[in-house]
């Protein structure tokens, strides 16, 4: 569950943002703040994963809070939601490592897209003690499974076969097993598993165990839209 705080001096906008967030699974708004002081008080009292931060607040600029937040709550992620179009504001926000910067008025689609992108990056790094360049490129949006060149791929994974497996996954309405993928691409079970697990590792697919008729668990793979 991602615990969220909304710092927005216009209570009507804060309510709209909360309504957007209520439509998303695994996201919960724990508090809303109307000014900078309330924001810092809330961060002190509550465990927070993500802060939606306005810049123009009545008692201070949101950009002035960034240093304090980074000093005292370094693990909190921040998405700026503001009417500020000054380049200096964006540059300051970037220096303090904000996850995104949204300009008002923000549509529901854009707002949800920013949260889903944030969740996607969180998933990429979950349960990982080490990273490789493929994962890093995907995290920063530098490359994905269709644009990476052969030299970007790990040993045993070639571009042509990867594209075939990816295309099969994109066309599926339901999951696919290792055996079924092997039949689809004309390859062995070992090869099919290697490519499916690679797609899981770069967050293109998910995998879970499902129980068949005889009760034996089967690992099935699903394409992530």
């Amino acid at each position: 569950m991602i615990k969220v705080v909304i710092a927005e001096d216009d209570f009507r906008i804060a309510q709209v943002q909360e309504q957007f967030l209520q439509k998303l699974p695994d996201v919960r708004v724990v508090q809303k703040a109307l000014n900078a002081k309330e924001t810092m008080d809330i961060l002190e009292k509550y465990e927070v994963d993500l802060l939606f931060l306005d810049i123009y607040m009545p008692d201070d600029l949101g950009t002035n809070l960034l240093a304090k937040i980074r000093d005292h709550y370094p693990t909190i992620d921040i998405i700026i939601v503001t009417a500020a179009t000054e380049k200096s504001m964006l540059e300051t926000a970037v220096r303090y490592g904000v996850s995104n910067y949204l300009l008002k008025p923000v549509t529901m689609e854009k707002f949800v897209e920013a949260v889903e992108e944030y969740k996607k990056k969180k998933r990429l790094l979950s349960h990982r003690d080490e990273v490789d360049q493929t994962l890093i490129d995907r995290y920063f949006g530098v490359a994905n499974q269709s644009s990476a060149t052969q030299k970007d791929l790990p040993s045993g994974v070639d571009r042509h076969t990867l594209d075939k497996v990816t295309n099969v996954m994109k066309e599926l309405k339901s999951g696919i097993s290792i055996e079924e993928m092997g039949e689809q691409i004309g390859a062995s079970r070992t090869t099919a598993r290697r490519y499916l697990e690679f797609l899981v590792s770069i967050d293109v697919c998910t995998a879970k165990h499902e129980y068949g008729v005889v009760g034996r668990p089967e690992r099935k793979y699903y394409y992530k839209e």
Side-chain angles (χ1 to χ4, degrees):
M1 180 66 68
I2 297 173
K3 295 177 283 295
V4 176
V5 166
I6 298 171
E8 166 60 59
D9 70 320
D10 188 327
F11 73 92
R12 294 162 299 184
I13 293 178
Q15 287 179 339
V16 170
Q17 292 179 5
E18 183 173 24
Q19 290 169 2
F20 289 167
L21 292 168
Q22 287 173 343
K23 300 178 184 295
L24 300 174
D26 303 322
V27 176
R28 179 169 64 90
V29 177
V30 297
Q31 280 290 331
K32 298 193 291 292
L34 293 173
N35 55 55
K37 183 180 184 305
E38 285 186 9
T39 301
M40 298 306 294
D41 289 344
I42 288 171
L43 296 185
E44 184 177 353
K45 293 177 183 177
Y46 294 88
E47 183 180 336
V48 178
D49 298 305
L50 179 61
L51 170 66
F52 285 91
L53 180 64
D54 191 12
I55 288 181
Y56 294 132
M57 290 191 284
D59 53 342
D60 204 351
L61 289 174
T63 45
N64 291 340
L65 296 186
L66 292 174
K68 300 175 186 177
I69 294 170
R70 285 290 171 250
D71 284 343
H72 297 285
Y73 314 104
T75 63
I76 293 178
D77 295 309
I78 301 169
I79 293 179
I80 297 290
V81 185
T82 182
T85 57
E86 297 92 334
K87 184 180 71 170
S88 60
M89 297 293 191
L90 173 62
E91 290 172 337
T92 298
V94 170
R95 289 191 192 101
Y96 284 101
V98 300
S99 298
N100 211 325
Y101 195 102
L102 304 178
L103 287 178
K104 297 176 182 177
V106 184
T107 65
M108 183 181 73
E109 291 76 15
K110 187 64 178 177
F111 195 87
V112 170
E113 177 186 321
V115 179
E116 291 296 346
E117 181 66 21
Y118 168 76
K119 291 169 64 177
K120 177 181 176 181
K121 288 186 174 183
K122 292 278 283 188
R123 288 195 301 267
L124 274 174
L125 296 182
S126 65
H127 311 299
R128 291 292 192 105
D129 294 323
E130 296 182 355
V131 299
D132 56 26
Q133 192 61 54
T134 300
L135 184 143
I136 292 169
D137 287 345
R138 186 163 177 79
Y139 184 90
F140 286 104
V142 175
N144 55 41
Q145 75 278 6
S146 62
S147 63
T149 61
Q150 180 62 49
K151 64 182 178 62
D152 296 316
L153 299 175
S155 176
V157 175
D158 71 82
R159 172 85 278 141
H160 177 69
T161 305
L162 181 61
D163 286 343
K164 286 176 62 176
V165 174
T166 304
N167 289 334
V168 170
M169 296 301 298
K170 285 180 178 179
E171 294 172 2
L172 289 175
K173 297 293 183 182
S174 58
I176 191 170
S177 68
I178 293 170
E179 290 82 2
E180 290 168 337
M181 179 57 76
E183 293 174 1
Q184 288 277 348
I185 65 173
S188 68
R189 190 175 188 276
T190 301
T191 298
R193 180 195 293 114
R194 182 189 311 131
Y195 283 87
L196 288 168
E197 290 295 334
F198 175 71
L199 291 177
V200 170
S201 75
I202 62 173
D203 202 42
V204 172
C205 296
T206 59
K208 62 181 180 179
H209 284 94
E210 297 181 357
Y211 286 84
V213 178
V214 296
R216 181 180 178 183
E218 180 180 51
R219 190 165 172 83
K220 297 197 76 172
Y221 298 80
Y222 297 82
Y223 184 74
K224 297 179 73 170
E225 298 293 343

